[in-house]
Amino acid sequence: MKKNILKVTVGMAFAFSFASCTSQHKQINNSSSDSLLDAPISNLNYEAEIDSLINKLTLEEKSGMLHGNSKFTTAGVERLGIPALTMADGPLGIREEISRDSWEPLGWENDFATFYPAGGAVAATWNPDLAYTFGKSIGEEARDRSKDVLLAPAFNIIRTPLGGRTYEYFTEDPFLNKKLVVPYVIGVQENDVAACIKHYAVNNQETNRGTVDVNVDERTLREIYLPAFKAAVIEGNAYSVMGAYNKFRGDYLNENNYLLNDILKNEWGFEGIVISDWDAVHSTVKALKNGLDVEMGTDGPFEDYYFAKPLIKAVKGGELSEAEVDESVRRVLRVMYNIKSIDSTDRKTGSRNTKEHLEDAYKIASEAIVLLKNNEDLLPLNLEKVSKVAVIGANATRKFGLGGYGAGVKTKTEITPLEALEQKLPQNIEIEYARGYEENYVGQSENNQNHGRGTINELNLDLLEEAKLVAKDSDIVIIFAGSNRDYESEASDRKDLELPFGQVELIKQIKEVNPNTIAVLIAGAPYDLREVNSSVSTLVWSWFNGSEGGNALIDVLTGDVNPSGKLPWTMPKRLEDSPAHATKSFPGDDSVTYKEGILVGYRWFDTKNIAPLYPFGYGLSYTTFNFKNAAVDKSETYSVDDSVVITLDVENSGKRAGKEVVQVYLSKPTSRIERAAKELKGFSKVMVQPGKSEKVTIRIPISEFAFYNVEKQDWEVESGEYLLHIGNSSRNILQTISLRVD
């Protein structure tokens, strides 16, 4: 489609400060970049009760409330009716119960939970409604397990495609992150559970994560790495924040005065608790003074934690005042009153392992799947012309709820792709399975902690020949390849982008014996798919997609669901094309400097004119869409408090109903500062029936045009011309609107 250029003049340049949202949350609306998810301000109605409790607490009791008394709880004070604060890992679902003083599971039979799609999948939906659904659903499960704090969501910016937690984190873009995180947090906390947003902050690599000192300039910090945290605190009213492992500008994050006190508590007005990541505390006096409230997971006996006996000694020795301790105790009590864990009879009880929660997981999974390539229209499957399907690859039968180093979920239900195919295909269609490859790893002694688990990438020739025979004798072949949660794991980054276990060669050889081959990649992070992409005509990307992941995936392949997922990160052709690697600033050693600055992810690729394999925001459909009649609401000058309201028609010119994501990117052709070629500033996901059009409205506050002026220490909108680029990926711009800020 040809680009259409519209021009309109917009009001004066200005500097501004963001204000806290204070109105009650009423509805979810994913069509606006201007959040309608206004959260209530913190409930301060209980300050008198809190004062009374603090006055009755001994110093020892206060200390007990500020450090772990088991792996996932602090101590309560029974004589005053103060309960323990119970926490649970939960990026994928509520973790099984473990021992008080070790990571060993207790082996209970009543601690199963729903397995939800990983963070990358949530982001790939580009749907804030589903982010809210996720939060509400997992919050209900947390309450059913009597948890007070859900240690989620995790949404650090994806700086490198090698990141071990890329599958868990959301996106490479701060705007998309914040628009998904806010409804997620609200959904969780509506269930009287505190969301713990993490990992604050600039925690973008697993390599040397416990020691590395991150250096990033102030503008980059404010524009890229803090916006989603700020939105979660101010708009989502998150009750707790987790301090990360790494250092920032010389100080560990859990004793970093600038990030914890100056920005989080003073500038943003955060009234909740800062909880350390597990075993991420390095001091007593400095940590408490500089903003940490609760210490968790420190190695050694609970009474020897930094906030246990050493804290009591520091107060008695005059290094800390008891008033400083009281401030952290106040924050803990404030959260308890907000989530109704203290002095309340109407706290929500929650539910778990329900049909409704499985439906929630399915909805997210089905909108997360990304159709990357469909050149020969092998999809959706034409089952009337198929009598035999070859299913190849270990990921056809693998489950992803558990695995790797970090939080998983023990679930009763996880449907694999092969199980879903067997349940959903007509009985007259024969299905034959061949594993194709083995998941083999090098010995533990040969592994490098910084580079994940080493893999053996030679194919087993017997398995290969078996797979080729099955493929040759079938009408269509579906290869389920990709990764797993043992390979993509917390605590280590991958050493390269190569698909493990010899899968590239497997896919190429299978395609040679049967041209009707569909490759389905199940993974959480980008891989080098150049050879795979050139070998097959049909390529689908799925995720560690939860209890209903297999059903959602097969429904997409058969056409019961029209794919609508969009990539939440850039898939590069080569690792060295990515900004952290192009600038040779990953992983660093004792310290790492983010040399790419604001040019993270697609900002780098688009600004440097580097072609990715698949761009940020990319994803195909079984139908086709046209964008028409883009316009803005005014031709006159906009005021400081106005928003630019964009309207356009999205036409479905195909034969299937489908969802499309309208994406709006901002650029400034001339600027006195460095800017990215374009930045996401608005999006809307819309369902359109075949042959019909839907009008889409996207509202962008002029404040979103701002950059962070380091000299003024404030946000500023420049004068001059701006362009709003409207498309369905960062690289496929269909219409452009020119604005002028005078």
Side-chain angles (χ1 to χ4, degrees):
M1 181 183 291
K2 247 183 355 180
K3 295 184 186 179
N4 297 317
I5 308 293
L6 304 178
K7 292 186 180 289
V8 65
T9 301
V10 184
M12 297 182 66
F14 59 98
F16 69 96
S17 297
F18 287 110
S20 173
C21 297
T22 58
S23 59
Q24 295 289 322
H25 164 49
K26 296 186 182 298
Q27 64 176 353
I28 304 284
N29 185 328
N30 70 346
S31 67
S32 173
S33 68
D34 191 17
S35 178
L36 298 180
L37 289 160
D38 298 335
I41 60 173
S42 293
N43 189 341
L44 301 179
N45 296 333
Y46 302 105
E47 295 300 292
E49 289 92 335
I50 290 172
D51 284 337
S52 177
L53 285 173
I54 289 175
N55 289 334
K56 296 173 185 176
L57 288 165
T58 67
L59 177 59
E60 289 73 17
E61 289 169 336
K62 294 173 184 177
S63 167
M65 294 175 62
L66 303 184
H67 69 83
N69 189 46
S70 77
K71 283 295 184 183
F72 283 100
T73 66
T74 61
V77 183
E78 186 175 358
R79 70 181 183 89
L80 296 177
I82 299 173
L85 192 69
T86 63
M87 309 175 197
D89 271 327
L92 306 177
I94 307 305
R95 186 176 186 158
E96 65 187 324
E97 298 298 328
I98 65 170
S99 301
R100 177 173 183 261
D101 55 1
S102 80
W103 295 104
E104 288 298 314
L106 288 175
W108 291 2
E109 290 300 316
N110 62 347
D111 58 348
F112 291 91
T114 303
F115 171 25
Y116 292 92
V122 178
T125 70
W126 285 63
N127 190 337
D129 287 330
L130 290 179
Y132 170 79
T133 295
F134 188 116
K136 182 176 183 295
S137 192
I138 198 172
E140 290 170 350
E141 300 231 339
R143 278 304 308 129
D144 189 71
R145 289 271 296 279
S146 300
K147 304 305 180 185
D148 299 317
V149 180
L150 176 69
L151 302 172
F155 51 87
N156 293 93
I157 291 292
I158 297 168
R159 180 176 179 251
T160 166
L162 299 181
R165 301 184 83 160
T166 296
Y167 77 90
E168 177 185 352
Y169 292 164
F170 278 37
T171 88
E172 66 187 24
D173 180 73
F175 183 87
L176 181 56
N177 263 13
K178 72 181 182 180
K179 292 303 171 186
L180 296 171
V181 165
V182 170
Y184 182 118
V185 169
I186 290 172
V188 169
Q189 295 188 165
E190 284 182 355
N191 291 283
D192 299 332
V193 176
C196 185
I197 58 175
K198 63 185 189 181
H199 306 84
Y200 184 75
V202 290
N203 176 232
N204 310 105
Q205 63 186 63
E206 296 299 284
T207 305
N208 299 326
R209 69 176 183 176
T211 57
V212 67
D213 185 9
V214 176
N215 294 294
V216 56
D217 68 88
E218 190 69 13
R219 183 182 168 210
T220 299
L221 176 71
R222 297 284 186 155
E223 292 188 18
I224 302 297
Y225 295 99
L226 293 187
F229 285 102
K230 181 177 183 178
V233 167
I234 294 177
E235 298 177 46
N237 190 33
Y239 292 152
S240 62
V241 173
M242 181 180 289
Y245 283 113
N246 52 289
K247 296 177 182 177
F248 173 69
R249 296 178 185 168
D251 286 326
Y252 283 105
L253 264 301
N254 287 289
E255 53 186 45
N256 195 292
N257 185 64
Y258 182 59
L259 284 179
L260 295 184
N261 283 336
D262 291 350
I263 294 181
L264 177 65
K265 292 185 175 181
N266 296 331
E267 186 178 324
W268 298 348
F270 176 65
E271 296 164 342
I273 51 176
V274 176
I275 302 172
S276 75
D277 207 339
W278 268 233
D279 200 18
V281 181
H282 301 270
S283 67
T284 300
V285 176
K286 185 176 181 180
L288 190 80
K289 282 182 175 290
N290 287 359
L292 181 67
D293 299 305
V294 175
E295 174 196 6
M296 296 301 296
T298 298
D299 191 29
F302 300 120
E303 62 268 22
D304 291 339
Y305 276 29
Y306 289 101
F307 281 13
K309 288 180 179 178
L311 183 143
I312 296 169
K313 181 180 178 182
V315 172
K316 291 181 176 180
E319 296 178 88
L320 284 171
S321 70
E322 193 159 351
E324 290 172 306
V325 175
D326 289 350
E327 170 61 20
S328 291
V329 173
R330 176 180 300 281
R331 289 173 175 273
V332 172
L333 290 171
R334 187 179 289 148
V335 169
M336 287 181 170
Y337 274 104
N338 272 275
I339 63 175
K340 302 179 182 178
S341 71
I342 186 171
D343 195 27
S344 176
T345 58
D346 63 344
R347 192 179 189 190
K348 293 186 178 179
T349 55
S351 58
R352 182 165 44 100
N353 294 319
T354 65
K355 177 184 176 182
E356 290 76 16
H357 289 177
L358 288 175
E359 289 174 352
D360 292 340
Y362 174 84
K363 289 174 186 176
I364 297 164
S366 62
E367 285 202 25
I369 295 163
V370 183
L371 179 60
L372 294 175
K373 189 178 182 182
N374 195 24
N375 285 357
E376 295 181 14
D377 294 326
L378 293 181
L379 293 177
L381 296 172
N382 187 344
L383 299 180
E384 293 180 356
K385 297 182 178 180
V386 174
S387 60
K388 183 176 182 181
V389 176
V391 176
I392 295 172
N395 272 357
T397 59
R398 208 186 201 287
K399 298 187 176 184
F400 301 98
L402 296 171
Y405 180 92
V409 57
K410 183 173 77 174
T411 184
K412 290 182 177 180
T413 304
E414 184 178 352
I415 305 299
T416 68
L418 181 58
E419 289 171 339
L421 273 170
E422 291 171 341
Q423 293 170 10
K424 291 174 178 290
L425 292 194
Q427 290 186 349
N428 64 310
I429 297 178
E430 181 184 357
I431 300 171
E432 189 168 2
Y433 170 67
R435 186 161 48 142
Y437 66 89
E438 294 179 298
E439 296 179 355
N440 286 331
Y441 299 90
V442 300
Q444 189 66 33
S445 62
E446 301 175 59
N447 277 313
N448 182 331
Q449 179 271 331
N450 294 337
H451 291 150
R453 299 185 67 183
T455 60
I456 297 174
N457 297 318
E458 291 77 26
L459 287 169
N460 179 308
L461 295 182
D462 290 337
L463 291 180
L464 174 62
E465 288 306 311
E466 177 193 18
K468 289 168 70 174
L469 285 174
V470 170
K472 189 175 182 179
D473 191 36
S474 299
D475 299 306
I476 200 157
V477 180
I478 309 174
I479 302 177
F480 294 93
S483 181
N484 58 62
R485 290 194 53 243
D486 289 324
Y487 187 53
E488 294 182 44
S489 174
E490 178 185 349
S492 61
D493 298 314
R494 291 178 290 143
K495 65 179 180 179
D496 55 41
L497 288 182
E498 301 303 312
L499 270 179
F501 316 126
Q503 294 176 90
V504 173
E505 184 62 26
L506 170 68
I507 292 169
K508 289 166 64 177
Q509 292 206 32
I510 295 300
K511 181 60 164 46
E512 287 179 3
V513 301
N514 192 328
N516 295 327
T517 294
I518 298 163
V520 178
L521 279 297
I522 300 174
Y527 284 84
D528 182 348
L529 298 184
R530 285 176 293 176
E531 288 190 71
V532 172
N533 192 63
S534 63
S535 298
V536 299
S537 65
T538 309
L539 186 58
V540 176
W541 185 274
S542 190
W543 310 86
F544 307 141
N545 226 359
S547 288
E548 289 289 319
N551 281 331
L553 182 52
I554 301 311
D555 283 348
V556 166
L557 298 185
T558 59
D560 287 344
V561 170
N562 193 344
S564 63
K566 302 283 186 178
L567 290 179
W569 33 247
T570 302
M571 186 176 290
K573 291 181 178 178
R574 309 175 306 160
L575 179 61
E576 54 266 34
D577 290 341
S578 293
H581 302 271
T583 57
K584 295 181 171 56
S585 56
F586 171 87
D589 191 4
D590 294 332
S591 65
V592 60
T593 299
Y594 290 7
K595 294 180 181 179
E596 71 280 2
I598 63 169
L599 300 182
V600 176
Y602 69 90
R603 288 166 165 80
W604 174 271
F605 286 84
D606 292 353
T607 303
K608 302 294 184 181
N609 292 316
I610 300 169
L613 185 63
Y614 289 107
F616 174 79
Y618 174 89
L620 301 176
S621 170
Y622 294 149
T623 190
T624 53
F625 299 97
N626 299 316
F627 293 180
K628 297 180 176 180
N629 306 320
V632 292
D633 59 324
K634 295 183 181 180
S635 58
E636 67 272 16
T637 299
Y638 285 82
S639 72
V640 148
D641 297 324
D642 282 342
S643 297
V644 177
V645 180
I646 304 163
T647 57
L648 70 151
D649 297 322
V650 178
E651 178 189 63
N652 184 340
S653 54
K655 298 180 180 180
R656 290 175 176 266
K659 295 182 179 180
E660 178 63 299
V661 179
V662 179
Q663 302 165 37
V664 181
Y665 296 85
L666 178 75
S667 69
K668 192 172 192 312
T670 59
S671 176
R672 74 175 192 270
I673 58 167
E674 178 189 33
R675 286 185 179 264
K678 60 177 77 76
E679 303 173 71
L680 182 70
K681 293 299 179 184
F683 63 91
S684 174
K685 192 166 194 176
V686 58
M687 167 66 83
V688 189
Q689 297 299 318
K692 303 292 185 181
S693 292
E694 292 290 338
K695 187 171 289 295
V696 171
T697 300
I698 298 175
R699 184 162 54 108
I700 303 177
I702 299 297
S703 59
E704 287 288 354
F705 289 34
F707 73 96
Y708 188 79
N709 187 318
V710 177
E711 293 180 358
K712 296 179 180 178
Q713 297 184 27
D714 206 348
W715 295 85
E716 180 183 332
V717 175
E718 280 189 288
S719 295
E721 182 186 19
Y722 291 85
L723 298 177
L724 295 176
H725 307 280
I726 305 167
N728 55 14
S729 80
S730 73
R731 285 295 179 106
N732 191 34
I733 302 303
L734 302 175
Q735 294 194 299
T736 296
I737 300 175
S738 174
L739 307 175
R740 184 160 187 84
V741 177
D742 289 334

